[in-house]
Amino acid sequence: MPTARHLVNRRRRIDRLDGRPVSRSPDATAHRPSARAATPTRSRADRTAASPTAKSSGRGGWWAPGLTAVVVLLAGLGGYACLRTRALDDQPVRHNTALTDTAATSRVKGLVDTAVRDLFSYRYTDPDRTRAAARDRLTGAAVRQYAALMEQVHAQGPAQRLVLTTTVTDSGVEVLDGGRARLLVFADQVSTRTGKDGGDTVAAAMFAVDAVRQGSTWRIAGIDTFRRAQDTGPPQEQPQTPQSP
Amino acid sequence: MKGRNRLPGRRRRPARATEPRGGRTRLALPAALLVAAGFAAWACAGWYASAHDEHVAYSRHRDAALDAAEQGVRNLNTLDHTELDHGLALWEESATGDLLGDLRRSRAQFSRQVRSARTTTSARVLSGALTELDDRAGRARAMVAVRVTVRTPDRKTAVKDSRMLAELTRTGGGWKLNALGQAPVGDTGTAGPDAAPDAE
């Protein structure tokens, strides 16, 4: 019995000392002396010790750098795709939504058509209606440009008993970029004078209009009548020259 | 377990320090992978959408058609009596369909007129806009404001602004004019698809 207990105790002590001697001892003997010998090997020993099993430590050898590389590649791909998208989105062709945005295109076209009709129509009995249109429909440089265009009409209108009826025959949106638009307008202006040089005349007008969106509506911010440099006379909106079709 | 307990203290401490770090890495890497994969997928989807945006394709057709309309109006209002054949070849190059037929039919007669009048006509496009575009059917309508200058042999120049309306068709060689005329003035005015510049 004492012998048996002694043997059992001894075995237990050996077990306690060496852990699982059969599986662990080659590993342990391999590492212990080298760990004592030099620092780099010590760190390797530590890593082995940190890993719960030899199997998982072997997998960690490639999956961490491998995954990191994949993460870097994916991030790089994403960044490149972002740059390409931005380059595509920055193309001028994208900024102009004339005709591509049909709703916005027809809205600005409709508003400018009515604005031009109201602005360049005049009735000597009700000149305030034209002035009201100017207040509602114009902004910025167009206020001054329009005043110059209509100066004579307002000055001579009552004496000539002038009636101007402007019809937009064609209009097209050249550029529509967010809250800014540029339109080309062809309009006919019929003027009726009942004064000394009475009669009807039709004037053909073409001009470009810059429009800006203000709140829910569009206002005309610029009127380009394509005046020639040497031109000093009234621009085309003035019904000065009768035109035979 | 017990075997590890026997390791000297200075070796145990770094071992413990690496253990939680290793666990964190095992969680952090897949998380980073997920985030990176999501980001890449999102960015590539945006890239694809941008590259295949049908609005952009439509916009390109719009710009190409408008360019062709403006160039066509410029060509068909430009003619130098000293380079008649070159000028008329440019006219025919800009036209297709009915307009091309008209130009070919009237070419001989028109050449005689311009040769005897010895005029030089040049054109500048002031502005232009498309009013309609059917990119599937390959048809478009455009309006172009053009300033035409006619120089006569006695060096007199006449400048005339014209309101042109054009119809375009997409051909194998790009967009070309198949009708061109001045916008009618008033209700009674009509203008055929006659592109001849005033040689008066």
Side-chain angles (χ1 to χ4, degrees):
Chain A
M1 292 278 268
T3 317
R5 183 175 287 156
H6 173 76
L7 283 173
V8 167
N9 281 347
R10 187 168 173 262
R11 180 168 289 163
R12 275 181 189 162
R13 205 159 53 236
I14 289 167
D15 281 357
R16 223 183 284 139
L17 285 175
D18 288 331
R20 290 173 186 83
V22 185
S23 63
R24 295 283 297 180
S25 57
D27 199 39
T29 42
H31 285 298
R32 255 177 240 152
S34 60
R36 253 180 237 122
T39 336
T41 7
R42 198 184 93 196
S43 71
R44 201 204 290 162
D46 286 346
R47 234 191 289 143
T48 319
S51 304
T53 59
K55 191 179 148 208
S56 96
S57 108
R59 205 169 61 199
W62 67 263
W63 76 258
L67 275 190
T68 310
V70 171
V71 166
V72 168
L73 278 176
L74 282 174
L77 174 68
Y80 177 73
C82 277
L83 285 176
R84 297 297 309 163
T85 311
R86 204 168 153 190
L88 283 170
D89 288 352
D90 278 352
Q91 291 177 117
V93 71
R94 271 181 177 268
H95 288 294
N96 186 2
T97 56
L99 293 173
T100 59
D101 186 344
T102 45
T105 302
S106 64
R107 178 164 168 75
V108 66
K109 189 169 125 68
L111 282 166
V112 166
D113 285 359
T114 17
V116 167
R117 186 196 66 201
D118 294 349
L119 287 165
F120 294 104
S121 293
Y122 174 89
R123 186 170 285 274
Y124 71 97
T125 51
D126 190 9
D128 286 340
R129 195 173 158 178
T130 310
R131 290 198 180 96
R135 273 197 306 275
D136 292 346
R137 308 287 201 170
L138 298 171
T139 187
V143 175
R144 185 179 37 79
Q145 293 162 339
Y146 173 81
L149 290 172
M150 293 295 278
E151 198 181 3
Q152 284 197 346
V153 170
H154 281 291
Q156 298 166 9
Q160 293 180 337
R161 297 186 176 187
L162 180 67
V163 177
L164 294 176
T165 311
T166 297
T167 319
V168 173
T169 53
D170 299 278
S171 68
V173 182
E174 289 179 56
V175 178
L176 175 58
D177 186 357
R180 311 194 63 83
R182 185 177 167 88
L183 293 90
L184 178 59
V185 178
F186 292 171
D188 286 350
Q189 192 176 49
V190 179
S191 60
T192 310
R193 286 179 176 83
T194 44
K196 55 180 180 357
D197 48 5
D200 278 13
T201 56
V202 186
M206 61 177 191
F207 50 92
V209 160
D210 287 315
V212 289
R213 193 170 55 208
Q214 291 185 343
S216 61
T217 191
W218 287 82
R219 283 196 171 82
I220 292 173
I223 304 167
D224 180 4
T225 53
F226 312 123
R227 289 176 70 174
R228 289 164 235 178
Q230 70 269 28
D231 253 11
T232 47
Q236 279 189 304
E237 279 77 26
Q238 298 294 332
Q240 297 295 313
T241 46
Q243 294 210 352
S244 56
Chain B
M1 288 296 161
K2 305 266 166 157
R4 221 181 281 166
N5 282 345
R6 278 185 69 233
L7 294 171
R10 61 187 171 94
R11 274 217 270 156
R12 253 171 60 196
R13 252 177 262 121
R16 257 192 201 157
T18 13
E19 217 162 55
R21 209 191 298 150
R24 228 182 286 147
T25 310
R26 275 198 302 280
L27 278 179
L29 264 177
L33 185 73
L34 267 180
V35 171
F39 168 64
W42 169 81
C44 286
W47 182 15
Y48 183 87
S50 277
H52 295 81
D53 191 336
E54 59 178 22
H55 282 289
V56 171
Y58 189 83
S59 302
R60 290 217 172 85
H61 283 305
R62 177 198 62 206
D63 292 357
L66 182 57
D67 279 353
E70 293 185 353
Q71 189 58 52
V73 167
R74 199 178 292 127
N75 288 350
L76 285 160
N77 283 288
T78 301
L79 198 63
D80 186 341
H81 70 98
T82 59
E83 293 178 349
L84 212 53
D85 285 335
H86 171 71
L88 290 176
L90 261 183
W91 283 29
E92 290 183 9
E93 214 171 87
S94 313
T96 184
D98 292 348
L99 180 60
L100 184 59
D102 289 348
L103 291 176
R104 281 184 176 150
R105 265 192 299 281
S106 58
R107 178 168 178 154
Q109 192 203 344
F110 187 74
S111 298
R112 273 198 303 278
Q113 282 178 7
V114 176
R115 235 178 235 121
S116 64
R118 293 198 288 141
T119 50
T120 301
T121 312
S122 60
R124 186 163 76 88
V125 169
L126 302 168
S127 195
L130 278 201
T131 50
E132 279 177 45
L133 172 64
D134 184 342
D135 62 334
R136 289 191 189 176
R139 306 189 65 84
R141 283 173 189 273
M143 48 195 292
V144 179
V146 65
R147 176 158 298 157
V148 180
T149 308
V150 182
R151 225 170 251 100
T152 51
D154 51 349
R155 288 194 177 170
K156 276 183 189 162
T157 58
V159 180
K160 190 190 165 206
D161 288 354
S162 288
R163 314 186 299 179
M164 307 300 290
L165 295 178
E167 280 175 40
L168 296 110
T169 306
R170 192 171 49 211
T171 68
W175 290 90
K176 290 185 178 187
L177 301 175
N178 72 287
L180 182 68
Q182 290 205 16
V185 184
D187 290 328
T188 48
T190 45
D194 180 17
D198 290 322
E200 308 152 11

